[in-house]
Amino acid sequence: MTLSRNLMLGGAALVALLVILSASVVRVPEQQQAIILQLSKPVATVNSYEPGENFGETGAGLVFKLPFVQEVSYVDKRILPLDIPPQTVLSTDQLRLVVDAFARFRIVDPVKMYTTVRTEQRLTEELSRLLTSLMRNELGKQRFDTLLSPERGQMMETIQKAVNQAAAAYGAEIVDVRIKRADLPPGTPLEAAYERMRTARQEEALTIRAQGAKEAQILRAEADANAARTYAESFGKDPDFYAFYRAMQAYRTTFNDGNASVVMTPDNEFLREFDGRGGR
């Protein structure tokens, strides 16, 4: 009877020990951050995000806590998607655009996230609201054609910095922001916008051509002035050479066409350099 009672007490003690042990040990996965809570207040973190850390060299694994007094709340450590519902934005040229965007973020301060919004779901909703508001404000400052140009990348960086400043209050970091699509609503507004863009490009091309013609005219005038100045300086230094050079130019122009026929008297002044009478 005594032995049986001792076995029962031993078994009960073993079960109690196992229960206490199971309540004292938790496993933190590599892709999770753990917040140790005591009376619903954070007292420690396990496997928190650290920039530049190597996979497998973090604090993940088995963690001990006070049984029945402390509990563990898990927070994702990976980069998470943040889909933004399509938004209608009014550009500076009064065009309504349908903008479809997305972002990616990670939780870098799990304690701050827990104390401000408690759950990842509420954090996602708050970041979505912030990103939607900031994106509408920033894109509303641009023209429609700018949203289709490479300058859009710079706008996304500006939006990302602005959202990051607000997201830091929730223990989050925005990793990337991108616009998947920015289009006009189908129908007449889209066709009218394309026509305005086509007209604007044609006007820009005409302006560039006119500016080019003006600059070419200025360059030709400067070249002619330089040539005249060079001729004048040459004439002042050596009148005989200048007269010879001008005569050769005249001969080239006159006799350039092999079929041309020119009738002149032998003593014609035009043939002065041709027959060797120049400089006499």
Side-chain angles (χ1 to χ4, degrees):
M1 187 69 177
T2 302
L3 179 62
S4 177
R5 183 178 180 182
N6 290 338
L7 290 175
M8 292 178 60
L9 291 175
L14 180 61
V15 171
L17 180 62
L18 291 175
V19 170
I20 294 174
L21 183 63
S22 64
S24 303
V25 179
V26 294
R27 186 180 70 86
V28 180
E30 191 73 36
Q31 71 275 15
Q32 297 283 331
Q33 306 176 76
I35 306 173
I36 307 299
L37 303 173
Q38 184 170 321
L39 302 177
S40 299
K41 293 183 179 181
V43 293
T45 59
V46 179
N47 197 34
S48 298
Y49 168 76
E50 294 291 341
E53 64 183 0
N54 296 322
F55 186 84
E57 299 179 0
T58 61
L62 297 179
V63 177
F64 290 92
K65 66 180 183 66
L66 296 177
F68 313 115
V69 176
Q70 295 179 338
E71 56 182 344
V72 178
S73 176
Y74 294 98
V75 177
D76 209 312
K77 194 176 183 179
R78 297 169 294 184
I79 295 178
L80 305 173
L82 183 64
D83 288 325
I84 310 300
Q87 302 292 321
T88 301
V89 178
L90 183 64
S91 63
T92 55
D93 44 357
Q94 301 303 306
L95 295 177
R96 293 189 177 276
L97 312 177
V98 178
V99 178
D100 190 5
F102 75 96
R104 296 185 298 166
F105 73 98
R106 63 158 51 98
I107 300 171
V108 296
D109 190 337
V111 173
K112 185 176 291 186
M113 188 279 296
Y114 180 83
T115 56
T116 52
V117 291
R118 293 288 179 178
T119 65
E120 295 178 23
Q121 178 62 33
R122 291 187 60 185
L123 174 63
T124 301
E125 294 173 356
E126 191 66 23
L127 292 179
S128 178
R129 182 187 63 80
L130 288 171
L131 183 57
T132 299
S133 177
L134 290 171
M135 182 173 295
R136 184 183 293 111
N137 292 338
E138 182 65 27
L139 299 183
K141 302 175 184 177
Q142 309 297 332
R143 291 174 53 87
F144 173 69
D145 52 357
T146 304
L147 298 177
L148 304 180
S149 69
E151 298 178 18
R152 189 168 73 178
Q154 182 63 38
M155 287 186 293
M156 292 298 99
E157 292 181 4
T158 302
I159 293 173
Q160 180 176 339
K161 291 179 180 178
V163 177
N164 257 328
Q165 293 179 355
Y170 301 98
E173 176 188 38
I174 303 298
V175 178
D176 193 16
V177 179
R178 287 288 181 270
I179 291 180
K180 293 188 288 186
R181 184 173 59 90
D183 294 327
L184 289 168
T188 303
L190 181 61
E191 296 171 0
Y194 285 156
E195 183 61 30
R196 281 197 295 270
M197 293 173 61
R198 187 182 300 110
T199 302
R201 291 295 177 267
Q202 291 174 349
E203 293 176 354
E204 184 178 356
L206 291 174
T207 301
I208 293 174
R209 291 195 196 98
Q211 185 66 27
K214 179 180 178 181
E215 293 178 358
Q217 186 177 6
I218 293 174
L219 291 175
R220 282 194 295 268
E222 292 177 350
D224 292 341
N226 290 334
R229 184 169 56 254
T230 302
Y231 291 150
E233 292 174 355
S234 300
F235 180 76
K237 293 179 180 178
D238 191 346
D240 291 338
F241 174 79
Y242 180 74
F244 174 77
Y245 178 75
R246 294 289 291 174
M248 293 301 102
Q249 286 186 317
Y251 294 158
R252 178 191 298 175
T253 304
T254 303
F255 304 122
N256 189 38
D257 190 350
N259 297 323
S261 299
V262 180
V263 180
M264 295 181 182
T265 60
D267 57 348
N268 190 285
E269 185 65 22
F270 184 71
L271 301 177
R272 181 182 182 87
E273 297 292 345
F274 191 78
D275 60 6
R277 288 183 286 124
R280 296 198 300 270

